[in-house]
């Protein structure tokens, strides 16, 4: 028995996560994640700036799915104000959110396979992701930490270049996904490393509040886009991929399938994209939210992201709570990694798709 | 499984009133009532269950429980198949109170339940629900980090996100860096 | 060549050293270029034409770094390990015949010598892991011992199969017996053993595992063990391990060429010579690079299962089959 410190600087922890492992040879007796190395206290920052000034902060929490995070924050403020963004803005939000979801899953795909010792898929995934980043850069001006959504709409409209580019991307990405299927998913070594490894039951997901691909890989069709519909998702036709096995392969397959579903959503949203303004007309210049507390949840790339705000009627939030999916997803690592071998635990850690700033906030 | 919301509320109310000891269930600390600066979210009396409009608030049931009702509320929601969303605090420095907010979501039904309790700010102690929801372990540690709320019965109430030697609680309204 | 023996030996040893040095350096370039192409990027381009000076720049960088010996480590073993990992690879190459007469030292039991020195490599990596006093390094040391024990067995079984067919341990003699068209190569000796291509595959897989190349790079496994046994090595200490890895790949591919692909023999029956040897060896090395950048790493127990449950039974079967076939026909 010995203690092994995995991290805070370790190639498999994607950032600065530390896992304190009590090992028996290569078997893990207890693996206790020690987060907090890049804690930035975003929630306190929220109490020190106005509602609008806090908006860019939310995109820095999970830098890989910034669109979803700003969506949740913008959504909660709109909910409190009773604002309704125009339909064109809602459709563009859906398109950009889903593009962001694909780009986030592509980073996960590359990084996950890097954890498993496969180097090449990373470059292929980043190649595809680059196309999304270029598209989003064209309309938002940022490549990663987008601050595109505004209370009541968007900061600017999309142009034809973006619409055409998104259509081309959908057509380009479909064959790429089937290429990943044959090159990566069907690889026998990958199958051996993922099938039956790192089992997470649906009950564990519920007890720990794990969401996103983790709970869907355990056979529960929980998706915030369905159960707490927001934006124009109810008008769009898409499936929630669910795999009941609960192993790392199930989570892998959920994410791969989700990319295909996101493409479907983008395609439909592009086809229906209405004309009109992208900003609601009645947005007040100085935001003062009615007192009370409000929640708004979105399905981010890693799972359920909820913003809970408490307003005392002032220009500055009284309290902002960011409920991040990686935090809950990581909290079940200690229980599920017990008795695993070190490389299997790495596979499990990778299949949770952690973004450490998202855990630490 | 798909219990309609009013039934759930009624059952919840019944559960709370039976489970909460009579000493704690009467309206606790009336001073909190109305004195709250940002009033409007929840009535401050114990065991109150309100159905709220989801599109306006982002949750369906707003439950206020007494300090002693937290664990039984969590147990009830656990029996009903709810999952833990988050635990956090709100520092109402004006009333010298600390609000502990428990968010729950349901993996199979579109329900959101918020349970909240008020504890005195000077002695912020509340029972831990980590035995009911193991996931509460980290959320409670985080709330302890940020607010100094002590969750009695918590297996490991050490700083999680703050440095291990941190003695300050940054989300308290009187926190001076 | 009619040089007096001591001079001849000196010249050839210098040649072997140069050969190893050149290959260790330029295989890194091949690997990086190959990886680049597999990953749809150009690879090194800056230093020299097509990055050809990159290995030299890398070596200079590594040489200019301090060799740090951690205070808690076993300093003697820590320093000895890089030497012990490089020397056996050089020794192996001393008996590898590159051409009809192009061999540093004619040894009539060359095959045994290559295997004997090839095994020292394991001990050296184990020592480096042990001497580092680092938990990752020790896990890696434990892994590499069990891995190499597991893979030495099928490799030797394959070697014995070939020994029975050839009746000699002299590597030059083995190549001479494969003269003529390519169907005379051992790889296609289906009359002696219809499973010969399988035997070659086993040999190749074992060679990958013995040299700790992906997908069997359990010792290094950077996403699990940081850098495994080499975690604590800095500067040229690490550089030597890096070079030794490629030197071992060269030895392994040379051996595969000699045993299965007819060494310096020409596939079309004329113009035999060292260029054929090198062409075959480079092809095998290219496959090593190709495999590395295509597959994810195997699981450690999967690796052992592959050896004990598949490779050893199959190689034992081919051994028995060969002996039966030799007896019958």
């Amino acid at each position: 028995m010995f203690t092994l410190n995995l991290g805070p600087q370790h190639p498999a922890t994607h950032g600065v996560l530390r896992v304190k492992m009590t090992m028996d040879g290569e078997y893990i007796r207890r693996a206790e994640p020690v987060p907090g190395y890049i804690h930035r206290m975003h929630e306190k920052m929220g109490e020190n700036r106005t509602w609008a000034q806090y908006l860019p902060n939310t995109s820095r929490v999970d830098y890989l799915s910034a669109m979803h995070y700003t969506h949740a924050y913008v959504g909660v403020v709109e909910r409190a104000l009773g604002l309704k963004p125009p339909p064109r803005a809602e459709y563009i939000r859906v398109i950009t959110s889903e593009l962001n979801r694909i780009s986030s899953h592509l980073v996960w795909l590359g990084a996950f396979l890097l954890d498993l010792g496969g180097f090449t898929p990373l470059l292929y995934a980043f190649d595809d992701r680059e196309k999304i980043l270029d598209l989003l850069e064209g309309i938002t001006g940022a490549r990663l930490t987008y601050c595109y959504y505004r209370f009541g709409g968007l900061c600017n409209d999309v142009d034809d270049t973006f619409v055409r580019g998104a259509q081309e991307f959908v057509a380009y990405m479909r064959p790429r996904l089937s290429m990943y299927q044959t090159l990566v998913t069907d690889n026998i070594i990958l199958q051996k490393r993922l099938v039956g490894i790192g089992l997470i039951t649906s009950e564990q997901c519920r007890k720990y509040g794990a969401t996103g691909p983790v709970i869907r890989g355990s056979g529960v069709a929980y998706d915030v886009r369905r159960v707490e519909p927001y934006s124009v998702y109810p008008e769009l036709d898409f499936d929630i991929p669910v795999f009941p096995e609960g192993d790392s392969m199930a989570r892998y397959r959920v994410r791969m399938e989700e990319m295909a579903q996101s493409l479907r959503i983008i395609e439909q949203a592009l086809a229906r994209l209405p004309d009109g303004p992208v900003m609601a007309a009645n947005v007040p210049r100085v935001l003062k939210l009615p007192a009370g507390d409000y929640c708004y949840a979105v399905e981010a790339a890693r799972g359920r992201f909820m913003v809970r705000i408490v307003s005392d009627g002032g220009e500055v939030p009284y309290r902002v709570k960011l409920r991040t999916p990686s935090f809950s997803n990581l909290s079940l690592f200690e229980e599920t990694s017990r008795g695993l071998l070190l490389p299997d635990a790495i596979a499990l850690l990778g299949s949770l798709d952690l973004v450490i700033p998202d855990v630490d906030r | 499984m798909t219990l309609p919301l009013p039934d759930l509320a009624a059952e919840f109310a019944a559960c709370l009133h039976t489970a909460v000891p009579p000493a704690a269930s009467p309206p606790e600390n009336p001073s909190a009532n109305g004195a709250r600066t940002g009033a409007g979210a929840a009535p401050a009396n114990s065991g109150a269950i309100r159905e709220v409009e989801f599109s306006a608030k982002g949750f369906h049931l707003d439950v206020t429980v007494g300090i002693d009702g937290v664990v039984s509320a969590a147990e009830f929601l656990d029996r009903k198949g709810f999952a833990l969303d988050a635990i956090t605090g709100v520092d109402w420095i004006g009333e010298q109170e600390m609000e502990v907010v428990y968010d729950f979501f349901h993996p199979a039904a579109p329900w959101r339940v918020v349970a909240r309790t008020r504890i005195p700010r000077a002695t912020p102690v509340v029972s831990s629900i980590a035995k009911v929801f193991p996931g509460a372990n980290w959320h409670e540690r985080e709330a302890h980090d940020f607010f100094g709320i002590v969750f009695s019965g918590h297996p490991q109430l050490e700083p999680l996100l703050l440095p291990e030697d941190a003695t300050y609680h940054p989300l308290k309204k009187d926190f001076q860096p | 060549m009619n040089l007096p023996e001591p001079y001849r030996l000196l010249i050839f040893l210098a040649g072997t050293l140069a050969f190893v040095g050149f290959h260790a350096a330029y295989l890194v370039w091949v690997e990086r270029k190959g990886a680049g192409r597999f990953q749809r990027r150009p690879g090194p381009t800056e230093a020299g034409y097509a990055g050809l000076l990159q290995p030299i720049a890398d070596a200079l960088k590594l040489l200019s770094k301090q060799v740090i010996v951690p205070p808690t480590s076993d300093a003697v073993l820590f320093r000895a390990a890089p030497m012990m990992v490089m020397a056996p690879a050089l020794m192996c190459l001393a008996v590898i015949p590159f051409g009809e007469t192009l061999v540093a030292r004619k040894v009539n039991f060359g095959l045994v010598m290559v295997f004997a020195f090839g095994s020292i490599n394991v001990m050296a990596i184990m020592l480096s892991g042990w001497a580092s006093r680092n938990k990752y390094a020790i896990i890696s040391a434990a892994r590499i011992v069990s891995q190499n024990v597991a893979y030495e067995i099928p490799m030797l079984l394959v070697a014995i199969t070939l020994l029975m067919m050839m009746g000699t341990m002299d590597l030059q003699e083995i190549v001479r017996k494969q003269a003529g068209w390519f169907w005379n190569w051992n790889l296609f000796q289906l009359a002696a053993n219809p499973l010969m291509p399988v035997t070659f595959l086993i040999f190749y897989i074992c060679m990958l595992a013995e040299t700790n190349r992906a997908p069997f790079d359990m010792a290094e496994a950077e996403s699990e063990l940081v850098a495994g046994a080499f975690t604590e090595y800095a500067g040229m200490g690490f550089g030597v391990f890096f070079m030794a890895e490629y030197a071992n790949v060269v030895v392994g591919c040379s051996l595969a060429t000699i045993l299965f692909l007819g060494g310096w023999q020409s596939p079309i029956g004329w113009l035999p010579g060292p260029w054929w040897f090198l062409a075959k060896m480079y092809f095998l090395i290219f496959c090593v690079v190709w495999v590395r950048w295509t597959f994810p790493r195997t699981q450690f127990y999967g690796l052992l299962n592959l050896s004990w449950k598949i490779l050893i039974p199959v190689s034992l079967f081919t051994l028995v089959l060969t002996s039966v076939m030799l007896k019958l026909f």
Side-chain angles (χ1 to χ4, degrees), chain B residues 1 27 29 45 89 98 103-104 112 138 151 153:
Chain B
M1 205 68 210
N29 35 25
N45 58 335
M98 200 73 94
D103 281 283
F104 294 93
R112 277 276 286 107
W138 277 27
F151 292 89

Side-chain angles (χ1 to χ4, degrees), chain B residues 60-172:
Chain B
H60 297 100
L61 278 189
D62 189 340
V63 184
T64 310
V65 295
I67 301 181
D68 300 327
V70 169
V71 176
S72 48
E75 277 166 354
F76 171 80
L77 291 167
D78 182 34
R79 279 200 301 280
K80 290 291 162 201
F82 277 85
L84 182 72
D85 198 2
I87 299 175
T88 188
V90 184
D91 181 11
W92 295 107
I93 194 165
E95 299 105 78
Q96 286 296 310
E97 276 188 346
M98 200 73 94
E99 185 178 359
V100 190
V101 187
Y102 299 80
D103 281 283
F104 294 93
F105 68 91
H106 200 291
W111 290 338
R112 277 276 286 107
V113 173
V114 176
R116 55 181 98 225
T117 188
R118 292 269 188 139
I119 51 180
R121 195 166 179 278
T123 52
V125 183
V126 69
S127 302
S128 165
I129 62 164
K131 286 205 175 60
V132 189
F133 287 100
N137 186 323
W138 277 27
H139 290 287
E140 287 179 353
R141 279 173 74 182
E142 185 200 299
H144 174 70
D145 277 7
F146 292 173
F147 293 96
I149 300 168
V150 177
F151 292 89
S152 56
H154 190 282
Q156 187 193 3
L157 205 60
E158 298 162 3
L160 179 73
L161 297 179
L162 295 186
E164 57 261 36
D165 56 351
T167 51
Y168 45 85
H169 304 292
L171 278 183
K172 281 186 163 177

Side-chain angles (χ1 to χ4, degrees), chain A residues 42 45-46 49-58 73 320 322:
Chain A
H42 272 295
M45 285 188 230
R49 52 196 69 190
T50 65
W51 294 103
Q53 281 171 342
Y54 186 61
L55 181 54
N57 272 64
T58 51
Y73 180 66
V320 185
L322 307 171

Side-chain angles (χ1 to χ4, degrees), chain A residues 248-326:
Chain A
S248 303
M249 196 65 193
R251 293 187 281 281
Y252 175 94
R253 285 188 189 280
V254 165
R255 292 199 181 90
M256 296 307 272
E257 189 56 39
E258 261 180 35
M259 284 197 253
Q261 295 300 328
S262 291
L263 290 177
R264 267 181 75 192
I265 297 174
I266 295 168
E267 204 169 39
Q268 294 172 45
L270 283 170
R272 293 177 180 203
L273 188 63
D275 285 329
V278 292
M279 197 70 189
N282 54 342
V283 186
R285 286 218 170 258
V286 176
L287 286 175
K288 279 189 181 165
L289 265 57
D293 57 349
Y294 309 91
C295 296
Y296 197 94
V298 296
E299 182 71 22
R302 265 148 280 280
R304 176 188 169 84
F305 173 64
M306 182 196 75
V307 182
R308 152 180 283 284
I309 55 169
V310 180
S311 168
D312 57 356
E315 284 176 43
V316 173
Y318 191 76
R319 170 89 176 97
V320 185
K321 160 74 184 167
L322 307 171
R323 186 269 184 211
T324 53
S326 294

